Every structure is written in structure tokens, then in C-alpha cells.
Amino acid sequence: MLRGKRHIISLATFFALAAAGVHAQGAAPAPKIDTGDTAWLLVSTALVMLMTPGLALFYGGMVRQKNALSTLLQSFVCLGVVSLQWILIGYSLAFGSGNSFIGGLQHMGLAGISYTGTSAYAPTVPALVFVAYQMMFAVITPALISGAFAERIKFSAFLVFVVLWATFVYDPLAHWVWSADGWLSLLNPKSLGALDFAGGTVVHISSGVTALLFAIMIGRRRGYPDEEMRPHNLTMTLIGTGLLWFGWFGFNAGSALASGSLAAVAFLTTHTAAAAGALAWMAAEWKHHGQPTALGAASGAVAGLVGITPAAGFVTPMAAIFIGAAVGVLCYGAVVLKGRFMYDDSLDTFGVHGVGGTAGALLTGVFATVVVNSGGRNGLLSGNAMQLGVQFVGVAATIVYALAVSWLLLKLVDATMGLRVKPAEEEAGLDLTQHGETAYHMLVPM
């Protein structure tokens, strides 16, 4: 009898262990932090952060001396303003669980974000690293818009607009494209599945079309286009271009969210597109005006970087060369045509980011291939013509939404506090009238 009980116990133990084994084999492994992926994303976060001071130098060199410091500050201050907005509410609106258009408020102040665990969006890195990485994208996007209204905006109005625009334009667009709920997101099996690897729609199209609208609504600079308004320091602009190019490796290759083969592809496509964009713009300018310029080469490099942003992790390096060159020529043409339409987009934000982002997003639908990224989709040249249509829907929706909401925000800010400085203040320069400082303590013609 005792032996029989022992057999029963042994059988019970056997089945229990067997069941536990089956359960263990069937269970998904718990997410584990990978130090290599974490290190890469931390470096990428720092690289993208550096892009905003780089943008400050890029823009700052292109304005007149009397507005150099104010232009630098408009980019630099976004590091403070938007970073806090992102922690308080931005991250939750962009990546919190909600509906297909906007996230919820469950992560306000980063509530519910693990200090030790991983992110569902980047399961091999700490959740807070993903938060910080995405923060840097949110920071630079409204800073891009500042190129459109340089030399004539109230600093107080700029600060208010940045907070409102980040909340009501950038955060919803980020949710559309990159969250698990978004109606355009690859992560949502019920969505259209637009391809935007690092922000062609979310960052560049949204900021570019808003810049065009802002330039029209605030009006042209005093004396434009009759007075000469040459860049005061192209050396500064070239340094800024170099920092932007350098930081863009974190912007695009970091969007792989891991230090693997996909990051390597995005790294190489980013560089080749920038190189092709710089040379294409310079060649077009050389043919058109008879001389290549430093500003043209710098602008072309940035145009190439803008164009490859949505495609970086979906296309081959050869496709990236074509995208960079095509976008470089298109953006040069857009900047030349600005004179015919007589709008004063001071530093060509729309011509580079609006046009370049649109072209890059559409060309992603042409050249994308799952050979590069199995998690993506094929484009037109790989047999999926529908993807080009999806890209068009994503572009059109971004343009319409950004324009509509930005128009409302601009009307609100202008009605309550005014967008533009007084004529006398504009004539004296924003450095002195808005900040009581000057960029240079030397006698240089204004």
C-alpha cells in the first residue's frame, strides 16, 4: 500500500514537472536589457540633442548680425521648453494608450513608466532611455519652424506657440505614426502602415508646412525683397551643418532602437543621401547661377538628410543616393521659386523641410524593400504599388492636420499677445530689443 502511494506521488510529481516544463517552453521570455543596445540609444539620444544647437548655428549664421543671438536662442530655448512639456504631458499624448489619433493621459509626469524595466517600443533598453530619445525629436521639430519667421517675431509669442504646437500638432502626429494605436503606424495591424522610419512626416513635413503658413501669416520682413539681407556668418552655418550631419546618425540610425544590422543600414543610407544632396544642390546652383556656394552645399546636405529620414531603415544605400540627389535638386528648385511667390520664409524651412520631407516620404514608397528591413514593407519597385498610395495618404493627412491646427494656434497667439515685434524694434534688431544683448562686441556693419 505504501509502495502504491509512492508510485502515485511519483506519477503526480512527474506530471507536475512535465506540465511546468511545457508551460516554461510556451511562455515568452521576459524582456531583458541589452547593454549594447542601451549604450547605442544613449549615444543616439545625445547625438539628436546636439542637433538642436547645431540647428541654432545653421540658422544663426544665415541671418543679419543684429538678429544673430535671437535666432540662436530660438532653437536653444526649445531644449528647455519642449523637454519639460514632454515629461509633463507630451510623452503620454504621443505614446500613451488611447485611440488611433491621440494617446491618453496615464503617463503624465511619466507616471507608470518603469525606472528599471524596458519599454514596449524598445524591449532591450530601459524605458526611460526610450523616453529621453523621443524627447530629443520633440525638441528639434518646433525649433525647425523658427527659420520661417526669423528676424521679426516676439520672443514671448514664440515661447507660447512652441508649447501649444508641440502639444496639439507634434504629439498627435507622433502618435499616429509611431505608437501601437496610431492609425498610420506599422505597429498597429489595423492601420494603413505608412513607412516613416525617423520622422519624414512627423518632423519634417509638419514643421515645413507650418513654417510656410507662419511666414505668410506673420508677413514679410521690413525691406524684403528690396533690401539686401545677406547671411552675416556662413562659417557659423557650415559648422552648424556639420553638427547636424553628425547628429543625424543618431536621428536615423538610432531609430533602429538597437545596435544591430538595421542601425548599420540606416547609418550608411543617412550618410550617402547627405553626400548626394550636397553635390546635387551645388551642381544645380552651379548650372543655374554659374557658381557653387558654401550655403548651397550646406543646404543640399541638409536637404539630403531630410529626404532620407523616412526611408533610412527601409531602402538600400544605392536608393539613398538617388533619394538624396533628387531631393537636393527639388529643394533647390523650391527655394528658387520662393522669389516668384513673394513669401518670406526667411531661412527656407519650407523649401528644405516641407518639400524635402514630402519627397522623401513618397520616395520611400517607391524604394522600400523588405530585404533591408523585414519589419517594413516593399515599395513600388519591389512589387507593392499600394505602398506609394499609403505614403501619399500619410503625407496628405499630415499636411492638412498641421496646417489646420497651426492656423488656429497662430490666430489665438496673435489675437491675445501679437506675433510680431513693432517696426522700430525690427529695424533695431531683435538681439537688443528682445534680449538686451548683442552677439558680437565689435564694429561690424549690420
Side-chain angles (χ1 to χ4, degrees):
M1 189 66 179
L2 182 60
R3 183 178 296 176
K5 287 182 178 180
R6 286 176 178 170
H7 281 304
I8 292 172
I9 293 171
S10 297
L11 286 171
T13 303
F14 171 78
F15 284 117
L17 291 172
V22 170
H23 177 73
Q25 291 177 10
K32 184 180 179 181
I33 292 174
D34 181 277
T35 55
D37 292 346
T38 301
W40 170 237
L41 204 58
L42 284 169
V43 170
S44 294
T45 301
L47 287 170
V48 181
M49 177 268 166
L50 186 64
M51 290 175 70
T52 300
L55 179 70
L57 292 171
F58 179 76
Y59 279 168
M62 286 195 280
V63 297
R64 290 169 290 180
Q65 180 186 319
K66 63 184 179 181
N67 297 309
L69 198 61
S70 64
T71 302
L72 289 164
L73 184 58
Q74 285 167 9
S75 291
F76 189 80
V77 77
C78 288
L79 282 166
V81 174
V82 183
S83 294
L84 297 186
Q85 184 273 350
W86 186 251
I87 297 296
L88 294 173
I89 194 173
Y91 178 80
S92 190
L93 293 175
F95 290 99
S97 297
N99 54 44
S100 59
F101 292 94
I102 191 68
L105 298 176
Q106 65 270 40
H107 296 312
M108 287 181 64
L110 300 189
I113 303 297
S114 173
Y115 290 170
T116 57
T118 62
S119 167
Y121 292 97
T124 60
V125 303
L128 291 181
V129 176
F130 179 75
V131 171
Y133 180 66
Q134 290 297 334
M135 178 198 296
M136 301 310 169
F137 281 68
V139 165
I140 195 172
T141 307
L144 292 171
I145 304 170
S146 66
F149 48 73
E151 303 193 299
R152 58 200 188 276
I153 193 173
K154 289 182 180 178
F155 188 65
S156 57
F158 170 75
L159 292 176
V160 172
F161 176 78
V162 163
V163 174
L164 293 173
W165 194 88
T167 303
F168 295 105
V169 178
Y170 180 85
D171 295 339
L173 289 175
H175 186 81
W176 291 7
V177 176
W178 291 327
S179 80
D181 300 327
W183 72 279
L184 289 173
S185 175
L186 274 177
L187 300 177
N188 183 356
K190 297 180 181 179
S191 84
L192 291 177
L195 300 176
D196 188 353
F197 193 72
T201 52
V202 180
V203 175
H204 297 296
I205 295 178
S206 68
S207 62
V209 298
T210 300
L212 175 62
L213 178 68
F214 211 133
I216 293 171
M217 291 182 68
I218 198 172
R220 294 179 289 182
R221 287 169 290 180
R222 288 177 58 81
Y224 180 91
D226 300 322
E227 293 182 14
E228 189 173 65
M229 298 181 179
R230 288 180 177 271
H232 88 284
N233 191 338
L234 286 178
T235 302
M236 181 187 294
T237 296
L238 284 176
I239 293 171
T241 305
L243 291 175
L244 283 170
W245 194 330
F246 178 66
W248 227 291
F249 292 123
F251 200 81
N252 286 357
S255 291
L257 303 178
S259 59
S261 57
L262 185 57
V265 170
F267 195 103
L268 189 57
T269 55
T270 297
H271 185 73
T272 52
L279 295 177
W281 184 305
M282 190 169 64
E285 184 180 47
W286 204 338
K287 175 70 174 177
H288 186 214
H289 284 301
Q291 289 180 318
T293 66
L295 181 58
S299 300
V302 173
L305 290 164
V306 169
I308 198 60
T309 292
F314 299 119
V315 303
T316 66
M318 286 303 297
I321 293 175
F322 180 88
I323 291 172
V327 171
V329 173
L330 284 172
C331 290
Y332 174 72
V335 170
V336 170
L337 288 174
K338 179 182 74 171
R340 293 189 180 182
F341 292 102
M342 295 299 291
Y343 65 90
D344 186 14
D345 175 7
S346 309
L347 309 180
D348 298 317
T349 303
F350 172 71
V352 173
H353 296 275
V355 174
T358 298
L362 294 176
L363 288 172
T364 302
V366 175
F367 290 102
T369 170
V370 295
V371 172
V372 169
N373 184 347
S374 60
R377 292 181 176 180
N378 283 324
L380 176 65
L381 295 183
S382 295
N384 181 20
M386 288 294 294
Q387 190 59 42
L388 183 57
V390 171
Q391 297 300 108
F392 181 83
V393 171
V395 168
T398 301
I399 292 173
V400 171
Y401 180 79
L403 285 176
V405 179
S406 297
W407 183 84
L408 290 172
L409 297 178
L410 286 169
K411 283 291 187 180
L412 175 63
V413 175
D414 194 30
T416 54
M417 58 193 309
L419 288 172
R420 188 163 180 159
V421 298
K422 296 176 181 178
E425 294 175 331
E426 185 176 342
E427 190 67 32
L430 303 190
D431 288 5
L432 280 174
T433 61
Q434 294 292 296
H435 307 291
E437 298 174 298
T438 58
Y440 308 100
H441 291 287
M442 58 183 72
L443 296 175
V444 179
M446 301 293 278

